[in-house]
Each structure stands twice: as structure tokens, then as C-alpha cells.
Amino acid sequence: MTEEILEILQRDARLAPGEIASMLGRKPEEVRREIRRLEREGVILKYKAVVNREPLGGAARGVRALIEVKTAPQKDVGFDRVAERIYLFPEVKSCVLLSGGYDLLLTVEGSDIQGIADFVAQKLAPMEHVRGTVTHFLLKKYKEDGDILVRGKGKDRRLAVTP
Amino acid sequence: MRIPIAKRVQQIPPSGIRLFFDLVIGMDDVISLGVGEPDFDTPWHIRETGIFSLEQGLTSYTSNKGLRELRAAISDFLKNRRGLRYDPDEEILVTVGVSEAVDVAMRAILDGGERFLVPQPCFVSYAPMATLAGGEPVCIPLPASSGFRLTPALLRGAVARRARGIIINYPSNPTGVSYRARELGALAAVIRRTDLAVLSDEIYDELTYDFDHVPFPALPGMRERTVYLNGFSKAYAMTGWRIGYAAGPRHLIDAMTKIHQYTIMCAPTTGQVAACEALRSGGKDVREMKREYARRREYVHGRLVRMGLDCARPDGAFYIFPCIRSSGLDSMGFSRRLLEEEKVAVVPGTAFGEVGEGFVRISYASSHENLKEALDRIERFLRRARAAPARH
């Protein structure tokens, strides 16, 4: 049941426990209890909207960049200390440690290109243990977290009534 | 001059679905629960394989029986997943959907005037295809009191009528009824004492929710007299590709191939290539879609029951067949008024045989969002109809 609840909520977080219960043939109380447990144990962190700012146009769209960061790991704490110093900036929307040619990959959000350039030049690059950065500005988002963003809601192309 | 139409064609009544389709087509914003096909698109890796084959120029005919690679894949699938052994060269024919397979099978075994048993309610095409093949379809009405299930007693009553063959379909369109091994064994025991040919349409077999599907030819003594029919439309959401297949004893497949080669030549090549990919790596897609249908089944069944509509919990497919008599309306009246007043399309049970009177078919091949909204509307409609009954 746990896996099914997670899958259903990841697709539509607004479904009420009672409704999920009726999809799984369970009692609403059972599902409510399981969701509470998952929340308590930090499996479900929060419920957010998936937003596509593209149709808003202009400044409201904002600017995003992926930034590769090369760091010098520190004794005993490895990458964790330097990662923490970076991800605590609110401009950093995501921060992951990767294998390969660089260490951290950040998603950084700003209201315009200048804002992100300033963040890199003034905050990120000069930081101790940061060896170098490469900034890629996002031009267009096609798909995020399993959701395709570039076309409207899929229209039902089936005939209205078929045998 | 006006060319006269053959009597055989004239005697076929117009499809009940068609009548209803014409009503729906003129309306906007209808939520349709009348659709007999998956709401999912064909999984991308399957579509992509089809596209790639077109880029490679695979646009010519295949052999009459279908691509050797596809027949081999079907043969392996039937052996590994269904416990059936069919020779890919002699005993499998790839067809234009199961519909064509039913047609050529009937034409291969009917000469003219023989009776052919059609348990109803059933898929709309079976009886007309028997007529077109020159046979005389004989309906076995499956009573609502038996849950629209074919029972050995009903079957014994029907075989007394000396028919040439019978068509069965499980899980069933439109009722969602399917059968467990024990029930199938009892049916096979009746058939074993007859000369009936069996066409077994198992197109919904992957969508069996509560028990393992048992294919009809796997039952003792049934392989030699059964044409097993299946395809890719429902399990892999590939309705528009039109790929089905028949598996059966060699002499029957030979006869069917003879008809197929003169009328169809071969099933569409692109669809056959895509079907190979579906069998190769579509298992995960099937499981995911099935899980989704299973959830919708629970949801829709639960809500219909709470509305006070009698309906069995379907064993399979993506249909549910509630009794709507408590509304005070007949099938057509219910469907028509629900469409006009609440813009929800369902199919009157009578489209699947007279015995479907008092019932409607609801397809849950629709998003949860749509199902919820449609069921809210049906609930509202029922309250109104029950408050002011008898306005036929």
C-alpha cells in the first residue's frame, strides 16, 4: 500500500485520503494513518505545486541556471561542509553531489541574468574550497519531474463512443 | 438505377453504438465513459520503434501470416506467459486486430445456414459477423441473475441446438466478467461432449485483476477445437495500430490464412514491427497501466454501489455494467437523458444484446479527474430521476 500511496500522491498531491482509499479498496482511516506515518518519518516532505512560469511571460518567468562546481573536499567532512555553505543560499534551489568531471551541480534561480551572474561572481566563486564554476543558463524547459511542460493538456483524441 | 444491397447485409440491424454515437457527436464538453479503448497513448518506446522502421523504409508487405519475427515472439510469449504451445510457422496468423481474426475464423468454419452460439451481452460485432459469414447467430441470453456469467447449465441448454461453434470472450466487454480455472473447466467439460468449435476472444486477458487468467486452449481437450484470439490493442494501448492474432490447429490456421491472403494480404507492417517491440519490452507498461485500471475499478465500483446502483465488481477489462432500473428509466432513456442533462456519455446495455436492457456500460478507461466529475454528475442525475420517476 505504501508504494501505491506514494505513487498516487506524486501524481496528484491534492487527492484526499478518502479518495485514495477508494482507489485502493482500503479504509480511509488506514490510508490517513499511513500518510501521517510517511510524513512523520520524512518520506513525504511536503506538498507543492508543479509550476510552469513560461506562459506568464516577461520578468515573471525568472531565470534559471545549472552551475557545475568543482570543489576541494576537506578532511573528515568530505564534500558535506562546502555543500552546506553553498545550499544555504536561498538562490540555490537544488544541490546534488555527482560523480565525474565536477562535484556539485546546482540549480540557481534569479529574477534576471545579472542576478545570477552576481551570485556566481560575488558569492559562489570566491568561496574557500571552490576551485571553479561553469554556468549554463536554462533556455527552455521541456519536462520536469515526469511532467511535460511544452504542450497543453493532452486532448482526448479518441472517438466519443466506441464498441 | 440503384444497386440492390445483398439481403445478408440488409438483415443486419444498425449498431446500437452507432445510434448513440450520432447523438454524442453533436455535443460539446461531454465527458465520455462510452469509449471502448485505453485512454493511454501507446508507450513511447513502441511508437518510436514504429517511427524508426518507417525511417528505415520498412514499408512493403510482410508475408501473409505476418512477420516471422513477430510470430516467433508471439509463440514465445504464449509458451512462457500462457503455457500454450503454437508453432510460429504453422499455427499463428497475424491479423488486422482481433476483429479480422473473428471474421476469418467464422468464414473458415461456416458454410451456410449453420447455427453459431453467441452468449449475450457481448461485443457488438460477433452476431453480425456470424451472419456475414453465412451462419445463423443464436443468442444465449446470460441472465443478470447469474451475474451475466456463462454457466454449464446455460451452455448445456444451448448446445442442444446443434450449433457449429460458439464464441466466448473473457474478461468480457461489456460486463467485465471473467472466469476462474474451475468455472472454465466445467464449461470445457460440457463442450467436450459436443462437436462445437470454440472461438475464444481473450483480448482483455492482461487486465484480469483478482486471479490468474486461464486461456481456453489450455483446458483439457480444448486446444484441438479452439481458435485462440488475442492482440495488442488493449494491453499495450495500441488500438489504432490494428494488430491482433489467431492461434489454432494447423488446418484451421491454413484455412483462415487462405481467406486472409485474398482479402487483407497482410496486417499493417509498421504495426507488426511495433508489436515486436511491445512483446520484447512492454511488460512494465502493461503492469503500470493495469495497476491504474485496478484503482479506477475500485473507485468507480465503490461509488456506483454507494449511489444505490446494483453492480458486480468486474473481474477484468475496463468496463462496469451497473443496473439502472432504480432510476425508473430504461437503458436508452437513461443514457439519452444523462447525456442531455448532464453531458455524460455511457452506452445503453441494449447495444450489447436485448438482455442488456436495464443496464448501461461504463468504461473506466478515463482519467481519475474525469471519472470523479462524471460520477458526481451521475449521482446528481439519479437523485433527480428517482425524485420524479416515469418520464420515458
Side-chain angles (χ1 to χ4, degrees):
Chain A
M1 179 172 66
T2 308
E3 196 41 59
E4 291 216 79
I5 290 176
L6 289 175
E7 194 195 315
I8 290 169
L9 283 176
Q10 278 185 288
R11 224 179 305 161
D12 184 356
R14 289 191 306 175
L15 287 176
E19 217 166 349
I20 296 172
S22 64
M23 294 159 91
L24 301 180
R26 301 282 186 152
K27 295 205 172 66
E29 191 43 46
E30 259 184 292
V31 172
R32 202 168 295 126
R33 214 178 312 127
E34 181 64 5
I35 291 177
R36 266 205 300 268
R37 184 183 73 82
L38 292 166
E39 288 169 348
R40 209 169 40 236
E41 294 183 0
V43 177
I44 296 175
L45 294 176
K46 60 161 82 175
Y47 303 88
K48 296 199 298 187
V50 178
V51 173
N52 177 19
R53 291 181 171 275
E54 206 60 25
L56 295 173
R61 275 185 302 190
V63 176
R64 281 180 167 238
L66 296 180
I67 302 177
E68 303 168 4
V69 185
K70 264 199 167 137
T71 66
Q74 295 158 272
K75 200 168 164 48
D76 295 335
V77 292
F79 295 99
D80 292 355
R81 181 70 51 77
V82 60
E84 183 184 18
R85 289 189 62 182
I86 292 171
Y87 66 61
L88 284 172
F89 284 106
E91 293 91 332
V92 176
K93 297 300 169 189
S94 75
C95 173
V96 293
L97 178 66
L98 299 175
S99 60
Y102 55 93
D103 306 310
L104 298 173
L105 180 65
L106 317 179
T107 310
V108 174
E109 209 173 70
S111 53
D112 52 27
I113 291 183
Q114 197 53 52
I116 289 179
D118 289 348
F119 171 77
V120 176
Q122 292 163 20
K123 310 254 172 60
L124 187 61
M127 204 180 277
E128 197 188 355
H129 307 300
V130 168
R131 290 273 174 78
T133 66
V134 179
T135 301
H136 308 270
F137 283 102
L138 250 71
L139 302 181
K140 185 171 184 177
K141 262 203 285 188
Y142 294 99
K143 186 175 184 180
E144 184 166 274
D145 235 353
D147 290 307
I148 293 171
L149 305 176
V150 286
R151 46 171 194 243
K153 269 199 160 170
K155 198 173 170 297
D156 196 341
R157 288 177 289 245
R158 298 175 298 166
L159 293 173
V161 180
T162 49
Chain B
M1 94 155 257
R2 187 183 152 92
I3 297 171
I5 301 300
K7 288 193 190 67
R8 215 180 21 247
V9 177
Q10 282 186 45
Q11 77 182 82
I12 295 172
S15 153
I17 291 241
R18 184 73 221 178
L19 293 176
F20 205 71
F21 178 76
D22 291 339
L23 278 179
V24 177
I25 203 77
M27 300 180 68
D28 291 330
D29 304 323
V30 172
I31 299 183
S32 182
L33 305 185
V35 188
E37 61 177 320
D39 57 315
F40 302 102
D41 292 331
T42 306
W44 175 246
H45 65 102
I46 298 174
R47 281 188 274 162
E48 203 273 336
T49 302
I51 294 166
F52 183 67
S53 78
L54 291 173
E55 286 173 347
Q56 296 295 297
L58 294 183
T59 56
S60 46
Y61 297 126
T62 69
S63 68
N64 293 133
K65 280 187 170 142
L67 285 172
R68 176 63 174 65
E69 184 196 348
L70 177 56
R71 282 180 280 130
I74 291 169
S75 174
D76 286 345
F77 173 83
L78 291 177
K79 186 173 75 196
N80 300 329
R81 304 293 310 281
R82 296 288 177 271
L84 300 172
R85 283 182 186 275
Y86 286 103
D87 182 304
D89 294 314
E90 313 283 1
E91 297 180 315
I92 292 172
L93 171 65
V94 177
T95 56
V96 181
V98 168
S99 288
E100 191 226 339
V102 172
D103 178 42
V104 292
M106 285 186 177
R107 285 199 274 167
I109 62 178
L110 292 172
D111 250 322
E114 304 101 323
R115 297 191 175 121
F116 197 88
L117 301 175
V118 180
Q120 285 183 340
C122 70
F123 185 58
V124 298
S125 307
Y126 297 154
M129 283 203 276
T131 304
L132 287 172
E136 183 201 326
V138 173
C139 162
I140 308 178
L142 304 177
S145 57
S146 79
F148 297 111
R149 306 179 86 81
L150 182 61
T151 61
L154 286 164
L155 189 56
R156 265 194 300 273
V159 297
R161 306 197 55 183
R162 316 189 72 75
R164 183 74 197 76
I166 182 170
I167 185 158
I168 53 177
N169 165 227
Y170 65 97
S172 152
N173 174 8
T175 61
V177 164
S178 195
Y179 302 93
R180 291 171 194 262
R182 187 168 31 82
E183 297 171 275
L184 291 168
L187 295 174
V190 176
I191 289 172
R192 223 166 12 244
R193 279 182 241 117
T194 70
D195 294 325
L196 280 183
V198 179
L199 307 190
S200 190
D201 178 352
E202 304 184 23
I203 186 72
Y204 292 100
D205 64 348
E206 291 278 10
L207 303 179
T208 305
Y209 302 114
D210 303 320
F211 48 86
D212 287 335
H213 178 90
V214 177
F216 206 75
L219 299 162
M222 291 301 108
R223 188 189 187 282
E224 65 200 44
R225 62 167 82 217
T226 300
V227 182
Y228 171 85
L229 306 165
N230 209 332
F232 297 84
S233 294
K234 309 298 154 84
Y236 301 94
M238 291 179 68
T239 45
W241 300 79
R242 308 307 303 126
I243 303 293
Y245 57 89
R250 179 179 176 175
H251 76 285
L252 258 170
I253 293 296
D254 276 349
M256 289 169 64
T257 303
K258 200 191 275 181
I259 304 168
H260 172 84
Q261 77 185 7
Y262 288 125
T263 52
I264 298 287
M265 186 80 92
C266 67
T269 304
T270 312
Q272 292 192 54
V273 175
C276 289
E277 169 66 13
L279 286 179
R280 205 162 34 232
S281 43
K284 184 164 169 284
D285 306 298
V286 174
R287 284 192 297 278
E288 279 171 10
M289 289 189 270
K290 176 179 169 181
R291 204 161 57 223
E292 182 64 31
Y293 290 130
R295 286 175 195 156
R296 297 173 185 175
R297 172 185 73 140
E298 288 298 334
Y299 177 71
V300 174
H301 176 251
R303 286 211 53 186
L304 292 174
V305 168
R306 280 198 298 278
M307 285 178 213
L309 294 179
D310 272 347
C311 65
R313 188 156 169 272
D315 302 307
F318 37 66
Y319 307 108
I320 190 162
F321 205 62
C323 175
I324 48 80
R325 291 205 175 98
S326 64
S327 66
L329 299 164
D330 64 7
S331 294
M332 194 62 189
F334 181 95
S335 308
R336 190 189 287 261
R337 273 186 55 190
L338 180 64
L339 179 64
E340 285 165 355
E341 297 175 24
E342 295 287 353
K343 297 198 167 188
V344 174
V346 298
V347 180
T350 44
F352 309 98
E354 281 169 33
V355 65
E357 181 54 85
F359 294 78
V360 297
R361 187 193 73 176
I362 288 174
S363 157
Y364 49 87
S366 198
S367 69
H368 181 76
E369 209 178 356
N370 272 345
L371 290 172
K372 182 174 187 304
E373 173 62 24
L375 288 163
D376 288 348
R377 294 185 193 184
I378 292 175
E379 196 166 6
R380 194 160 63 203
F381 172 76
L382 271 173
R383 267 201 301 272
R384 232 177 17 250
R386 283 169 180 159
R391 204 198 79 181
H392 297 250

